[in-house]
Amino acid sequence: MNSEEENSTESSRYHRNWTSFAGLVLMVLSFLFGFVVFIMELISGHGSPYNGFLFIACSVALITGFILIPVGMLQERRSQKAGHHAASLAEFHLDFRNPEHRYATLSFLIAGALVFVLSTVGGVKGYHSTESVEFCGQLCHEVMNPEYVRYKESSHARVACVECHIGSGAEWFVKSKISGARQIVAVHLDTFSRPIPTPIHDLRPARETCEECHWRRKFTGYKELRRSYFLSDEENSLHQLRMLIKIGGENTTFQKGSGIHYHMLIASKVEYIAKDDRRQQIGWVRTSRADGSFTEFNSEDYPLTDEQKETLEVREMDCMDCHNRPAHQYPSATASVNASLEDGAIPRTLPYIKREAVLALDTRYETPEDASTGIANTLREFYRTEYPEVYNTRKGEMKAAIGEVQRIAATTVFPEMKARWSAYPDNIGHLNSPGCFRCHNDTMLDTNGDPMTSDCTICHLVLTQGEATNQVNINIEKGLPFIHPEDGFEFDEFTLCDDCHDGGGGIY
Ligand code: HEC
Ligand code: HEC
Ligand code: HEC
Ligand code: HEC
Ligand code: HEC
Ligand code: HEC
């Protein structure tokens, strides 16, 4: 090769410059990395929202590399036109006859293969861990801790987070990548809200998650609900209740369709518009039946303007409108203390322990440690000043009660994330939040001005109630009229229970 030839080829090799070379390396590496993560996702059959972050980083690197190549070439051209020497990269020739070059190429290939194998193995491991319940629940420990602790206590403790939160299929896979990346950024910048807002507006529809396991047409009949309530008097008086909840199911040749699931899911389609983000203030409802007829209801408490009816989301009711806490239920202070009194973990013999325990749990603390010492101090102080004799002679019972109330606080109230029963109302029932009474109430009127039914017996039947629970009501069709535990009266007109009940000390 004479020097003239070399000069002419050299000047056309604009791509042989360091910037373009770096761009190429970046592209190859990010492509390989992204490919490995992608294969991992395929093998496991599920996505993890956290991989979204990796994918986005890979894409950015890939595009950056892609842009660097022409940028380098332009630079090189300009520099050569200005009479500078070609970039040093252009002078490099690989020559396999040279043992030094052979050795370097071999080492490069071996190192490259090693890096590839290691990153694949690491990727598989890392991938599986990002998918696991522990990763979702514990990596962002502070943020997800409340959901994780409650989940562990739920009927779905063995169902992976991704089963309900992501599901299968490409569209939700991509959506989860985007929202996962957004969440990671929010956690790192500490811009997430406490508590985490609910409902999750882009949660996957129940048909593609819950209904992969639960079949809505399956007949479930009645479910027995058995509760022991302890009142806030000195004796912590017991009031028991046994009811049958009419869950119901499909209309078949063997049985008539009946119950809650039948009326609200199978025989008719219910749609609604909520005024607020939390879907607690429902302003408009429409029910459409199989025969094509429909009924519309408008709320007098939360009236909607025509414009709001046009612009607000019309939501078709599904499993999650009632079962909104299938995996993260935050039991109220009253419910937790009733349960602990019933099983004896809190000794019922301590005067006013029901009321005092609920009040201690319903105090706002800054940290779990504050809650723990606060509970111990409040309860001790109460007995020391009000019942010195109890304070001096029944230390064992007091210690047991304090320990149990501390345990309830540690597992149901999360001060750092402001997560507690009042932040996450349960829509099943109607005691501490409107729940079913969001629609079934006396101000939700149809076009004739008649209210939607809120008759206590459409959803459940009282079998026994009060102190003595050994008398069973024979008329299973009608049930007994409900007697309110506090005053022993029957309700003669519709009342919103959560006007008084808040699950905590508000009631006393
Ligand atoms: C049985 C289904 C199911 C499983 C399993 C599940 N979740 Fe949920 N989760 C839900 C539903 C339903 C909601 C939304 C409630 C709503 O929109 O009102 C929710 C809400 C959340 C929220 C928002 C805050 C809240 O409480 O509303 C977070 C955070 C969350 N889940 C995290 C997790 C984590 C972490 C796991 C695994 C440890 C998990 N979830 C497992 C069904 C599930
Ligand atoms: C991967 C399968 C699976 C998915 C997905 C699933 N569940 Fe379940 N669910 C179960 C199993 C299994 C049980 C029974 C647990 C038991 O008997 O202890 C159960 C129990 C229940 C119960 C009765 C127990 C209770 O807590 O009252 C309800 C209600 C329920 N699921 C609702 C839902 C809803 C709503 C969703 C969707 C957000 C859902 N499930 C998603 C498997 C699943
Ligand atoms: C209108 C409200 C409502 C809707 C919508 C609804 N459920 Fe239920 N479901 C209930 C009530 C109330 C119960 C009684 C359980 C209770 O009181 O805790 C129940 C009970 C259940 C149970 C427990 C049955 C048992 O024997 O323990 C399962 C499982 C269940 N529902 C699944 C679903 C699924 C899946 C969907 C969606 C296809 C759904 N539900 C939609 C109100 C509803
Ligand atoms: C978004 C509004 C809405 C909510 C919330 C709601 N319902 Fe309904 N429900 C309706 C409508 C509308 C009907 C009337 C259906 C019809 O007439 O076809 C109905 C009918 C029923 C029926 C049949 C009534 C009858 O006359 O026999 C039962 C049972 C029922 N609902 C139970 C529940 C339970 C339990 C809950 C709470 C877990 C609940 N509903 C929450 C709108 C709602
Ligand atoms: C639209 C359906 C519906 C109507 C109407 C209804 N309830 Fe209920 N109620 C429920 C459901 C569902 C639960 C179960 C909640 C649960 O599983 O924790 C419940 C639970 C209860 C409980 C037990 C509360 C607890 O958490 O310990 C009482 C008491 C009760 N209802 C009384 C009444 C009275 C009194 C009326 C009439 C004024 C009435 N209900 C009307 C659906 C209804
Ligand atoms: C005017 C206020 C008010 C209304 C409305 C009200 N309650 Fe109560 N309720 C009370 C008081 C006060 C107590 C006594 C609390 C105590 O002594 O611990 C009580 C006690 C109870 C208890 C026992 C609570 C426990 O955890 O120990 C139940 C169950 C109950 N009510 C159900 C209902 C239902 C269901 C409704 C709606 C249909 C309702 N209440 C409406 C004031 C009210």
Side-chain angles (χ1 to χ4, degrees), residues 97-109:
R97 279 165 304 184
N98 181 335
E100 232 173 73
H101 284 194
R102 273 210 307 271
Y103 180 69
T105 312
L106 198 69
S107 321
F108 178 78
L109 286 179

Side-chain angles (χ1 to χ4, degrees), residues 110-350:
I110 292 176
L114 212 65
V115 167
F116 186 76
V117 169
L118 284 182
S119 64
T120 309
V121 173
V124 172
K125 275 191 152 322
Y127 183 74
H128 276 293
S129 70
T130 59
E131 243 211 353
S132 73
V133 165
E134 285 67 31
F135 180 86
C136 300
Q138 292 183 318
L139 186 79
C140 317
H141 188 80
E142 185 203 338
V143 189
M144 294 281 173
N145 187 45
E147 280 75 22
Y148 183 64
V149 172
R150 295 317 311 155
Y151 158 87
K152 283 282 175 206
E153 304 250 322
S154 80
S155 338
H156 292 103
R158 305 286 306 266
V159 175
C161 318
V162 291
E163 297 271 0
C164 294
H165 285 282
I166 301 173
S168 52
E171 183 199 344
W172 287 89
F173 173 83
V174 173
K175 280 193 193 176
S176 75
K177 297 295 120 197
I178 297 169
S179 83
R182 214 175 45 218
Q183 286 162 21
I184 291 196
V185 171
V187 169
H188 286 285
L189 301 180
D190 199 359
T191 54
F192 58 90
S193 19
R194 300 176 176 83
I196 299 174
T198 196
I200 304 175
H201 283 268
D202 52 6
L203 196 66
R204 193 159 183 183
R207 199 163 283 236
E208 295 155 31
T209 53
C210 320
E211 293 187 45
E212 294 273 310
C213 296
H214 299 284
W215 193 20
R216 63 162 76 187
R217 309 192 85 90
K218 163 92 176 56
F219 187 78
T220 29
Y222 291 102
K223 178 176 173 179
E224 188 184 3
L225 179 139
R226 215 183 248 269
R227 294 274 152 86
S228 294
Y229 305 108
F230 296 86
L231 300 186
S232 56
D233 51 8
E234 190 174 19
E235 294 78 42
N236 312 297
S237 304
L238 176 65
H239 182 105
Q240 284 178 309
L241 177 69
R242 271 181 69 200
M243 295 201 300
L244 291 180
I245 312 267
K246 301 169 160 181
I247 303 173
E250 191 180 15
N251 203 356
T252 67
T253 38
F254 300 110
Q255 68 217 0
K256 238 170 78 216
S258 68
I260 302 163
H261 282 173
Y262 180 75
H263 289 287
M264 296 213 52
L265 278 170
I266 302 170
S268 40
K269 177 171 98 174
V270 176
E271 293 158 297
Y272 70 89
I273 301 178
K275 258 189 131 158
D276 63 331
D277 274 349
R278 289 162 54 109
R279 304 191 184 130
Q280 294 296 305
Q281 305 172 354
I282 294 183
W284 173 90
V285 183
R286 177 171 60 203
T287 160
S288 327
R289 296 170 205 93
D291 62 10
S293 65
F294 64 88
T295 315
E296 279 190 19
F297 299 86
N298 285 286
S299 167
E300 284 188 323
D301 287 344
Y302 304 110
L304 294 172
T305 61
D306 286 343
E307 200 202 324
Q308 283 172 319
K309 284 187 191 170
E310 289 291 316
T311 52
L312 292 174
E313 182 200 4
V314 178
R315 194 176 145 83
E316 183 180 337
M317 197 142 175
D318 72 17
C319 318
M320 281 176 248
D321 289 290
C322 296
H323 299 281
N324 65 330
R325 307 265 119 224
H328 322 287
Q329 191 191 34
Y330 296 83
S332 66
T334 44
S336 302
V337 174
N338 280 335
S340 298
L341 277 162
E342 188 182 12
D343 69 18
I346 297 179
R348 197 186 148 192
T349 44
L350 289 172

